[in-house]
Amino acid sequence: DVKVTQSSRYLVKRTGEKVFLECVQDMDHENMFWYRQDPGLGLRLIYFSYDVKMKEKGDIPEGYSVSREKKERFSLILESASTNQTSMYLCASTQRGWEGYTFGSGTRLTVV
Amino acid sequence: SQKIEQNSEALNIQEGKTATLTCNYTNYSPAYLQWYRQDPGRGPVFLLLIRENEKEKRKERLKVTFDTTLKQSLFHITASQPADSATYLCAPSGSSNTGKLIFGQGTTLQVKP
């Protein structure tokens, strides 16, 4: 069964910490995405990547960076975690931008 | 700017009835429209994709329509079951291989036995 795996299901971090969220897909997909989901705001795109070492800003990139050194892995980095980054983070991948996405199970991050 | 509207109020229906969810979009000319299901605390799961030149698409008890004139998609679940209770998200998309999806906020469906 094809999969997108996010490294942590729940994470608690302190304000100011550098946080790494990892995502791995086993489908050889070109495109990978990071979203955050908050009540009342829906899914919002943070960053995406359509190739190794390529990245594009989404709608809310401030406070985040990403890394894609290998095709199967897309990392989201919170440079200095803040309480307003407490959220559910979802990684997704797809072979072509118009095809259905496969999502991971999500990481619920709490910044205290 | 591009806008996607789904009914934010929960839809409550009786088991066995047909559920109909609406997705409207503005400032958009999508080539495709996708529908996803999301259960609480989980990632969305892809259900169906319909192309702009398709009026209707079916998959088991699911039916999706796509009206590019009205800028609207309807998502139907026939013979609904309590297990269909979830939040359903729509996402119009372009035809680019490197495109990104922007999602509607979703409509929560509650099917009562």
Side-chain angles (χ1 to χ4, degrees):
Chain A
D1 201 14
V2 293
K3 258 192 189 168
V4 174
T5 303
Q6 294 185 231
S7 53
S8 304
R9 192 85 178 88
Y10 298 95
L11 214 50
V12 179
K13 295 291 181 181
R14 295 199 177 276
T15 303
E17 274 192 79
K18 191 167 185 175
V19 181
F20 293 85
L21 302 183
E22 306 287 345
C23 175
V24 178
Q25 50 99 359
D26 65 358
M27 297 162 284
D28 203 36
H29 282 170
E30 303 287 339
N31 300 280
M32 296 188 74
F33 307 83
W34 275 106
Y35 290 85
R36 65 177 281 180
Q37 188 171 31
D38 302 286
L41 296 176
L43 279 159
R44 292 181 291 167
L45 182 63
I46 305 171
Y47 267 98
F48 65 105
S49 168
Y50 54 86
D51 200 354
V52 175
K53 298 193 187 293
M54 304 301 289
K55 60 186 179 185
E56 294 273 350
K57 292 180 180 179
D59 298 317
I60 51 164
E62 297 78 19
Y64 303 94
S65 62
V66 290
S67 172
R68 193 166 180 203
E69 295 296 319
K70 292 185 177 181
K71 191 175 187 180
E72 67 271 18
R73 186 179 296 270
F74 193 34
S75 303
L76 179 69
I77 303 151
L78 286 65
E79 297 291 343
S80 177
S82 64
T83 54
N84 63 11
Q85 292 178 310
T86 291
S87 186
M88 170 71 102
Y89 288 87
L90 289 157
C91 176
S93 73
T94 188
Q95 179 58 13
R96 296 180 187 83
W98 53 266
E99 291 181 329
Y101 285 20
T102 301
F103 279 86
S105 294
T107 295
R108 187 163 291 283
L109 172 68
T110 302
V111 182
V112 297
Chain B
S1 62
Q2 295 169 336
K3 197 173 178 185
I4 304 162
E5 289 181 346
Q6 294 186 258
N7 195 340
S8 58
E9 287 184 20
L11 179 63
N12 295 297
I13 65 167
Q14 209 64 36
E15 183 176 7
K17 301 290 186 185
T18 295
T20 298
L21 285 69
T22 304
C23 175
N24 294 301
Y25 57 91
T26 53
N27 299 323
Y28 236 135
S29 294
Y32 304 87
L33 199 136
Q34 303 184 20
W35 282 90
Y36 291 76
R37 170 186 172 135
Q38 187 175 24
D39 292 290
R42 313 300 295 185
V45 174
F46 172 71
L47 295 174
L48 274 176
L49 176 151
I50 187 167
R51 292 174 170 76
E52 61 179 336
N53 60 355
E54 296 176 312
K55 294 283 187 222
E56 180 181 298
K57 194 148 187 185
R58 292 176 186 262
K59 180 182 177 183
E60 298 171 354
R61 294 184 295 112
L62 307 181
K63 185 178 89 170
V64 171
T65 63
F66 191 10
D67 189 325
T68 55
T69 303
L70 290 179
K71 293 187 180 292
Q72 181 181 80
S73 176
L74 299 179
F75 178 83
H76 307 271
I77 306 176
T78 58
S80 59
Q81 304 165 1
D84 295 326
S85 299
T87 297
Y88 292 86
L89 307 168
C90 72
S93 68
S95 57
S96 168
N97 283 341
T98 59
K100 59 185 182 182
L101 271 188
I102 304 300
F103 289 83
Q105 288 200 30
T107 298
T108 298
L109 172 67
Q110 190 72 34
V111 181
K112 301 189 176 183

